[in-house]
Amino acid sequence: MQTIRTVAELRQAVIQTRRPNKRGGFAPTMGYLHEGHRALIEASRAQCDVNVVSIFVNPIQFGPNEDLGTYPRDFLRDEQLCQDTGVGILFAPGTTEIYPAGFETFVEPGEIAKPLCGAFRPGHFGGVATVVCKLFNMVQPDVAFFGQKDFQQCAVVRRMTVDLDLPIKIITIPTVREADGLALSSRNRYLSQQERQRALAVSRGLFAAAEKFQAGERDVGRLLAIAKQHLTAVDRLEYLDLVDCGDLKPADSPLRSTALLCVAAYVGSTRLIDNIIMPLPT
Ligand code: AMP
């Protein structure tokens, strides 16, 4: 595995590894890798010949009062995980490599970035779209892998690739969870033992609603109410919504197409997000 720090070296490595009929796979991350990231890398390995992972804590997707300064990092452990998982190129640039002095051009996503997390984290998805667009241009993958846990991020990136004519296939990988249901996240490391226990309310709420859905419940209000009963254990519920999987607008009641039940909540000072898809037979 090559560990690369600069865009110039990355371009050289990409040129050297590119062959006709060889697929390039890419998984962008912010590091502090866990089994969710590993699932992305393994999918990339299974589907592609050359596999690139990036580790970059992207400052422009954090709000002024968010956790940029404390975001967990452990580069050596991450590098080992990438090595062990068969990554070909690990790209880990510094901030000025991605945003050198004079940088002033941004990607601005449209409506898809407005609801849910977009409503609570102004500028977040603009920061995500900008860095992902830049990374796509640097890595030039054929396929890029993203996690369903960040469903709206997947939707924003998918929309961007279509709107900006980027010839990259976006694949969404199902959320990897702990045995007790908690969605893996680098931010779980912020949770105390007691908070970790209360954080289970998030996935439990989603699963309880999904169970009712499986049993035939299609009323949006009733499904939300079931999830909400569990979410009383969190410190602050930012949103709990049932939305259309395509445009992320509020789902019609009774549900008529595949919907996404999604939640963002604080446990202590840690912001957690999670979601579950409720598929309807077409
Ligand atoms: P992050 O490092 O948190 O920015 O995440 C990098 C990528 O890993 C994103 O595409 C995330 O959606 C994905 N990811 C994060 N957590 C999980 C998880 N529990 N299961 C699957 N993918 C995940």
Side-chain angles (χ1 to χ4, degrees), residues 224-236:
L224 288 173
I226 288 155
K228 203 159 188 179
Q229 280 169 12
H230 290 263
L231 286 159
T232 49
V234 305
D235 294 308
R236 180 152 60 92

Side-chain angles (χ1 to χ4, degrees), residues 5 11-12 19 36-37 45 69 75 100 108 147 156 161 168 199-200 204 218 228 234 243 245:
R5 298 280 186 184
R11 284 201 193 288
Q12 276 306 314
R19 300 275 181 282
H37 298 111
R45 283 254 296 155
F75 184 73
E108 194 186 327
V156 167
T161 57
I168 300 165
L200 287 177
R204 287 193 179 145
R218 294 292 181 267
K228 203 159 188 179
V234 305
V243 299
C245 270

Side-chain angles (χ1 to χ4, degrees), residues 27-40 54-56 61 71 145-151 153-154 171-178 182-188 273-274:
T29 82
M30 297 208 299
Y32 209 71
L33 303 180
H34 51 64
E35 291 301 306
H37 298 111
R38 191 199 290 272
L40 267 52
S54 64
I55 295 181
F56 179 62
Q61 72 185 66
Y71 197 83
F145 297 84
F146 292 83
Q148 185 197 315
K149 188 174 82 70
D150 300 270
F151 191 95
Q153 170 170 281
C154 294
I171 293 189
T172 303
I173 301 299
T175 303
V176 177
R177 299 177 180 281
E178 304 274 11
L182 183 70
L184 290 179
S185 163
S186 306
R187 288 187 169 103
N188 290 352
I273 59 170
D274 200 354

Side-chain angles (χ1 to χ4, degrees), residues 21-102:
N21 306 323
K22 295 264 181 218
R23 301 220 303 169
F26 177 41
T29 82
M30 297 208 299
Y32 209 71
L33 303 180
H34 51 64
E35 291 301 306
H37 298 111
R38 191 199 290 272
L40 267 52
I41 298 170
E42 277 170 359
S44 179
R45 283 254 296 155
Q47 298 180 38
C48 301
D49 307 287
V50 180
N51 301 284
V52 181
V53 168
S54 64
I55 295 181
F56 179 62
V57 181
N58 176 34
I60 70 164
Q61 72 185 66
F62 288 78
N65 299 316
E66 293 183 356
D67 57 343
L68 173 62
T70 54
Y71 197 83
R73 295 167 203 244
D74 189 341
F75 184 73
L76 292 180
R77 194 174 61 99
D78 289 350
E79 194 176 37
Q80 192 63 52
L81 186 146
C82 289
Q83 174 95 54
D84 296 345
T85 328
V87 170
I89 298 173
L90 171 58
F91 180 48
T95 306
T96 53
E97 190 65 19
I98 300 296
Y99 302 115

